[in-house]
């Protein structure tokens, strides 16, 4: 359990949140679930990195993920999403997770369309799982 709590503290630090104290049973359970989910996500990524012989540290993983950002710009009545530079570990993480490395400059409409498709795919997979359970 200490590993789960440590993982959650690390995640909260990464998200730059302050300590939160819970008093109700519902909130305490939610805290434990979120701690567990964050630990599973972190550990799964670590195992995938190890399986692919990629050297990592918790700090390097957080830094790589934290720096995966887009900037929205509108020069001369055009609209673009520009990806910030990704370090090598970030590129390897995306590759391991079978996520294509995005273009550096993407027309904003294309960027939004890809987000919509990704969300629809997630929703459809959720529906497929729900139907399979019925």
């Amino acid at each position: 359990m200490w590993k789960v709590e440590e993982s959650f503290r690390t995640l909260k630090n990464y998200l730059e949140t302050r300590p939160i104290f819970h008093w109700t049973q519902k909130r305490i359970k939610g805290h434990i679930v979120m701690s567990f989910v964050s630990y599973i996500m972190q550990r799964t990524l670590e195992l995938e990195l190890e399986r692919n012989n990629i050297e990592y540290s918790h700090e390097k993983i957080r830094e790589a993920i934290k720096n995966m950002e887009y900037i929205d710009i509108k020069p001369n009545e055009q609209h673009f999403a520009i990806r910030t530079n990704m370090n090598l570990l970030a590129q390897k993480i995306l590759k391991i997770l079978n996520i294509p490395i995005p273009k550096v400059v993407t027309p904003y409409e294309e960027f939004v369309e890809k987000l919509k498709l990704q969300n629809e795919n997630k929703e459809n997979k959720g529906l497929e799982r729900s139907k399979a359970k019925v």
Side-chain angles (χ1 to χ4, degrees), residues 34-55:
M34 288 304 298
S35 297
F36 182 72
V37 169
S38 65
Y39 174 72
I40 294 298
M41 290 171 60
Q42 177 183 330
R43 190 66 188 130
T44 300
L45 181 55
E46 289 171 2
L47 291 172
E48 287 298 317
L49 291 171
E50 287 173 11
R51 187 182 350 216
N52 287 277
N53 297 316
I54 297 172
E55 200 173 306

Side-chain angles (χ1 to χ4, degrees), residues 36 56 62:
F36 182 72
Y56 70 92
R62 279 193 300 279

Side-chain angles (χ1 to χ4, degrees), residues 2 12 24 33 58 76 85 115 117 127:
W2 68 269
K12 287 192 334 185
T24 67
V33 168
H58 300 291
N76 300 326
N85 286 332
L115 288 177
L117 290 174
L127 287 174

